[in-house]
């Protein structure tokens, strides 16, 4: 028996399912059962054994996708993998999830124990656009294999999602079969690292295409990394052409010019920009008091950002129009920024809609207009020889500062004549803290002192946001950073609501420093945020991107 147990411990993930074979639900192989370590990602606490889906259509051309996921739990720290959340686009009942099944496999007292998911434990968490089907897999512990499956129904193929091969934990096999709807063409793009092979197999006789990757390491968070999706191994899809009733092939979003014309003709985008609103007297007076267009841009931007509440921090369209948003003074990021563009136009400011992909959303592909790569629309205004990139949902970002989330990204100006891709950089503003420290050390090694920090540019914007959201958390995470051993006794701020002046932070602090052999060890870079290096790993998978200078 001792020999058998040792052999079990030596099993690693050297297996993969064949392309043509998907195991039956709830039936697990000996390799899966006895797996204790992932050979190509040995520190992983869990591994995805199988991530599989197949998409097809019904008589109404609805997109129907059957999903299956199988996960092996290797370590206690990963048992939360049993808490499942399945997002779906619930707006106007566009998508719904059905036929959820789940099972957990364990060996207890040398007996196989299968614990099935109770349908009564499944619940729906609803929101305006995306909702979630949530459930907890039963009896999850180290050594468990959990498996669940479900069906997604979408009204049409416009909801076709990217297929993501890679996850934050390693994946042994990920595969996807797409059935192409009749009379339609899809463009796809495979994003992957060269050392990870991918199988792409068109099946023209069946009207299908098959994608597969195997043995993919997990992608973990790294300090100051670009967006996770920039590095994920994945396939992106977009509708490129379809045949109309007369049989003519209509191309769809083939060029960036096509994107501009389509968006400006769309009632939920171009129609929203052309909407007429009754300008409030408060705004009229604020604009009238300004001597130039730059001042008028500032006044309009400040009015919208101070009077509208963002309910969802992304969006490109006014799905329900702008009337409700205008009357309630709340809406999605897309709706609020379309109102901003509308207001700027009403005062004859040169302004264009700007499609953006925020830093944590991922880079866009400039070679083909994949609209899904953008997650928000903002305003791109020109006044007095200056350009302004304005997102009215960024409450703590002054009008002359490009939103931090957009730095080092590529955006698209939407206009029939002046459409273009632009790179957003921070040329005028940086992250800057001017720190003055006065202190005294007594004979016991106790340092007491005061500090004054003047923050400008992105330092002011990011610190103002943190202070206003949670002052105690700002002190503990930013001023008392790990590695500094400083304790802040008091904090007073000045100019926090004045966009034209630095944010002043006045600090009283003390520090019981290390004393050894008659020497006192003092960290010299107090309050810089650099007491401890964030770059401690021997290897790094992603780029370092601070965003600002």
């Amino acid at each position: 028996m001792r020999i058998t147990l040792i052999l079990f411990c030596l099993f690693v993930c050297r297996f993969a399912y064949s392309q043509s074979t998907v195991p039956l639900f709830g039936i697990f192989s000996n390799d899966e059962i006895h797996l204790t370590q992932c050979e190509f990602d040995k520190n992983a606490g869990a591994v995805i054994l199988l991530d599989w889906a197949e998409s097809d259509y019904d008589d109404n051309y609805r997109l129907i996708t059957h999903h299956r996921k199988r996960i092996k739990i290797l370590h206690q720290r990963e048992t939360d993998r049993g808490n499942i959340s399945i997002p779906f686009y619930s707006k106007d009942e566009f998508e719904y999830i059905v036929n959820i099944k789940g099972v957990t496999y364990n060996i207890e007292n040398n007996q196989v124990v299968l614990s099935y998911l109770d349908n009564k434990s499944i619940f729906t968490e609803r929101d305006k656009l995306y909702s979630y089907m949530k459930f907890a897999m039963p009896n999850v512990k180290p050594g468990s294999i959990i498996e669940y499956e479900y069906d997604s129904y979408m009204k049409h193929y416009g909801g076709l999602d990217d297929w993501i091969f890679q996850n934050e934990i390693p994946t042994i096999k990920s595969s996807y079969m797409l059935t192409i709807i009749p009379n339609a063409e899809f463009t796809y793009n495979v994003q992957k690292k060269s050392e990870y092979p991918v199988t792409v197999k068109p099946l023209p006789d069946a009207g299908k295409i098959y994608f597969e990757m195997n043995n993919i390491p997990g992608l973990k968070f790294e300090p100051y990394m670009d967006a996770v999706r920039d590095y994920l191994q994945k396939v992106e899809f977009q509708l490129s052409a379809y045949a109309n009733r007369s049989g003519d092939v209509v191309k769809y979003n083939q060029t960036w010019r096509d994107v501009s014309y389509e968006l400006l003709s769309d009632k939920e985008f171009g129609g929203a920009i052309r909407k007429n609103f009754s300008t409030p007297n408060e705004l009229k007076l604020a604009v009238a008091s300004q001597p130039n267009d730059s001042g008028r841009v500032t006044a309009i931007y400040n009015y919208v950002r101070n009077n509208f509440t963002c309910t969802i921090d992304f969006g490109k369209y006014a799905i329900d129009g702008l009337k409700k948003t205008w009357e309630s003074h709340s809406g999605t990021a897309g709706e609020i920024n379309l109102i901003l563009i509308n207001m700027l136009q009403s005062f004859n400011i040169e302004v264009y809609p700007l499609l953006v992909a925020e830093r944590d959303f991922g880079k866009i592909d400039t070679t083909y207009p994949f609209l899904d790569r953008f997650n928000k629309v903002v305003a791109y205004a020109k006044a007095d020889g200056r350009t302004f990139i304005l997102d009215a949902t960024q409450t703590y970002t002054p009008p002359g500062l490009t939103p931090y989330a957009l730095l080092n990204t590529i955006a698209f100006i939407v206009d029939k004549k002046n459409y273009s891709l632009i790179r957003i950089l921070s040329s005028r503003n940086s992250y800057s803290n001017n720190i003055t420290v006065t202190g005294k050390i007594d004979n016991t090694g106790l340092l007491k002192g005061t500090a004054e920090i003047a923050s400008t540019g992105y330092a002011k914007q990011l610190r103002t946001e943190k202070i206003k959201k949670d002052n105690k958390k700002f002190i503990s995470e930013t001023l008392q950073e790990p590695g500094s051993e400083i304790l802040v006794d008091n904090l007073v701020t000045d100019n926090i609501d004045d966009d034209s002046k630095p944010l002043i932070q006045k600090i009283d602090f003390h520090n019981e420093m290390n004393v050894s052999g008659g020497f006192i060890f003092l960290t010299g870079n107090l309050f810089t945020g650099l007491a401890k290096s964030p770059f401690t790993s021997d290897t790094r998978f992603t780029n370092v991107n601070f965003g600002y200078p």
Side-chain angles (χ1 to χ4, degrees), residues 194-338:
S194 58
E195 60 264 38
Y196 300 148
V198 63
T199 297
V200 180
K201 187 174 181 181
L203 304 168
D205 292 342
K208 300 175 183 287
I209 184 166
Y210 179 81
F211 303 89
E212 181 181 322
M213 289 186 76
N214 297 294
N215 299 337
I216 315 157
L219 177 58
K220 301 174 181 65
F221 171 81
E222 296 176 322
Y224 298 103
M225 67 187 290
D226 293 320
V228 171
R229 67 177 291 171
D230 290 338
Y231 298 92
L232 288 172
Q233 321 306 297
K234 62 181 178 178
V235 185
E236 301 169 311
F237 300 97
Q238 181 154 311
L239 181 66
S240 59
Y242 63 94
N244 60 23
R245 291 182 179 180
S246 61
D248 298 326
V249 176
V250 179
K251 297 295 183 182
Y252 184 83
N253 285 349
Q254 292 294 293
T255 67
W256 291 105
R257 177 181 179 274
D258 295 338
V259 170
S260 272
Y261 273 77
E262 181 201 343
L263 286 170
L264 293 173
S265 301
D266 191 327
K267 68 177 183 179
E268 295 177 349
F269 191 93
I273 297 170
R274 295 186 294 270
K275 182 77 174 176
N276 291 321
F277 294 104
S278 177
T279 306
N281 289 331
E282 176 188 352
L283 179 56
K284 289 179 182 178
L285 291 172
V287 172
S289 67
Q290 300 299 320
N292 53 36
D293 280 349
S294 294
R296 286 185 272 276
V297 168
T298 297
I300 297 165
Y301 170 74
N302 284 338
Y303 175 82
V304 178
R305 72 164 169 154
N306 292 331
N307 286 278
F308 285 81
T309 301
C310 182
T311 56
I312 298 175
D313 61 1
F314 59 88
K316 302 187 288 283
Y317 303 96
I319 298 174
D320 295 324
L322 292 180
K323 183 179 179 182
K324 184 178 179 181
T325 302
W326 179 257
E327 292 175 348
S328 66
H329 282 233
S330 66
T332 68
E335 292 163 350
I336 291 172
N337 285 322
L338 288 171

